Amino acid sequence: MAELEHPLKAEIQSVRSAILASDKTLTERIKWNAPSFCSGGDDRATFRLAPKGIFQVILHRGAKVKDTAGFAFEDDSGLVKWAAVDRGIVTLQDAKDVKAKKAALVKLVGRWIQATVA
């Protein structure tokens, strides 16, 4: 994060800190050159910091493909564009968008992690 050059660096840091503060059991590592949040050692939500000008939060169930039979997640936030049953993308366009969506995003990530813990 110290070396990150991104127009939304302050917002990225703010969302990162809020996610980490929301659940003391979360760990963090770098994946795709960006913060990734783990539960039980498995990645669950990973930032995507390219293309420049936006940033995304990718909701997933770890690095390895998992069987989706019987898996469901109710997205009541309206923030997620679903690429698959168990892979969603939240796109944050600018500082105003981050401010408007931050609280709902942190809640969404928490719910996602709870729903995907094996």
Side-chain angles (χ1 to χ4, degrees):
M1 288 300 296
E3 295 177 16
L4 177 65
E5 292 183 24
H6 194 286
L8 296 174
K9 183 175 181 173
E11 290 77 13
I12 292 165
Q13 183 61 38
S14 175
V15 172
R16 176 183 167 262
S17 296
I19 289 172
L20 286 170
S22 72
D23 183 344
K24 299 299 181 197
T25 67
L26 289 180
T27 57
E28 178 186 36
R29 64 179 165 191
I30 301 300
K31 180 177 180 167
W32 306 329
N33 294 318
S36 186
F37 307 96
C38 306
S39 179
D42 287 330
D43 295 294
R44 297 291 180 220
T46 304
F47 285 6
R48 181 171 181 258
L49 304 179
K52 295 286 185 189
I54 66 167
F55 84 95
Q56 296 175 315
V57 179
I58 312 300
L59 304 175
H60 54 93
R61 296 195 302 155
K64 296 182 181 180
V65 174
K66 296 186 176 41
D67 185 4
T68 59
F71 179 79
F73 180 77
E74 281 292 324
D75 172 28
D76 62 358
S77 73
L79 298 176
V80 184
K81 179 178 179 188
W82 294 100
V85 172
D86 62 349
R87 182 177 168 84
I89 303 164
V90 178
T91 300
L92 301 155
Q93 300 289 337
D94 55 30
K96 184 178 177 182
D97 197 31
V98 173
K99 185 176 180 178
K101 295 177 180 174
K102 180 179 166 183
L105 175 60
V106 171
K107 183 179 174 183
L108 171 70
V109 169
R111 288 184 54 243
W112 177 258
I113 289 169
Q114 291 301 312
T116 59
V117 172

